[in-house]
Amino acid sequence: MTSLNLWFNMVKENLPRFIEEMKSDKKGKYRFAYEGDYEYGEKDWGLTNTVYATKLMYMLNSKNLLEESNEDIHKFILKFSRPNGEISDNLIKRQSIYNRVFTSIKTRDLNNLLNEQTRRAETRQSTAALLCLGQSPKYDYKLLDVNKQLINSY
């Protein structure tokens, strides 16, 4: 077996334990950093951490981890839902404002100035994590105009 295969096997073997250790004191939440998280004054934040922990557990086929935490993770992710169907973390929007403005000016591309692309990406990833749990988003995504003509023209 090559050293790369050995490394992959070691990661696959140890990753479930690492994910388990990343659980936060808050039900359904996973920490951003092993040493702990900063508190940002937000009641709920950390959507991305939980989404990726969920998707990793799913990819590793860690049924026991997913079954133990399914309902808590599901509820935690749904806390970030909005009636328009978006699932996104307000902390990301606030923390990235300066970078988004700078990038928009530098590239002369205002596409993500209002955080629209990031919110859409968070929604896609969160929806995928919910599907990994066998769950659905709280609201239908209403920001996508889907009709037969648009689909055919695509």
Side-chain angles (χ1 to χ4, degrees):
M1 198 181 280
T2 69
S3 60
L4 186 59
N5 285 341
L6 288 171
W7 182 81
F8 278 127
N9 287 336
M10 182 193 69
V11 168
K12 187 175 179 181
E13 203 174 288
N14 292 310
L15 198 51
R17 183 174 54 245
F18 174 75
I19 293 169
E20 182 68 28
E21 290 173 6
M22 293 300 287
K23 279 185 175 179
S24 170
D25 294 338
K26 294 181 180 178
K27 283 188 167 195
K29 181 182 177 188
Y30 286 79
R31 296 190 318 253
F32 179 74
Y34 192 73
E35 295 82 23
D37 290 333
Y38 290 113
E39 289 301 322
Y40 292 99
E42 292 287 317
K43 180 181 173 194
D44 291 310
W45 69 274
L47 173 65
T48 304
N49 321 341
T50 297
V51 163
Y52 282 103
T54 303
K55 292 176 72 178
L56 279 170
M57 287 186 278
Y58 183 81
M59 286 185 263
L60 292 169
N61 202 21
S62 298
K63 287 184 171 70
N64 61 331
L65 285 175
L66 283 174
E67 288 170 3
E68 290 171 12
S69 306
N70 186 314
E71 194 58 32
D72 292 337
I73 294 170
H74 173 236
K75 286 178 182 175
F76 184 79
I77 292 172
L78 289 184
K79 287 180 183 181
F80 297 89
S81 297
R82 294 188 175 78
N84 66 2
E86 287 182 329
I87 305 171
S88 64
D89 192 334
N90 281 329
L91 181 65
I92 300 294
K93 180 181 178 181
R94 279 203 324 279
Q95 293 284 336
S96 67
I97 183 67
Y98 299 112
N99 187 41
R100 285 185 283 119
V101 169
F102 176 75
T103 302
S104 295
I105 293 168
K106 181 180 171 189
T107 63
R108 298 181 189 187
D109 180 4
L110 303 178
N111 227 1
N112 198 34
L113 185 60
L114 300 177
N115 205 43
E116 195 173 306
Q117 291 177 328
T118 304
R119 289 192 318 267
R120 210 172 13 248
E122 285 182 288
T123 300
R124 280 193 309 269
Q125 295 296 334
S126 298
T127 300
L130 289 170
L131 292 173
C132 290
L133 295 169
Q135 305 285 351
S136 298
K138 190 174 185 177
Y139 304 105
D140 290 336
Y141 190 72
K142 295 175 177 69
L143 301 176
L144 185 61
D145 183 22
V146 180
N147 63 48
K148 194 172 183 176
Q149 184 180 9
L150 282 174
I151 292 171
N152 287 334
S153 68
Y154 183 74

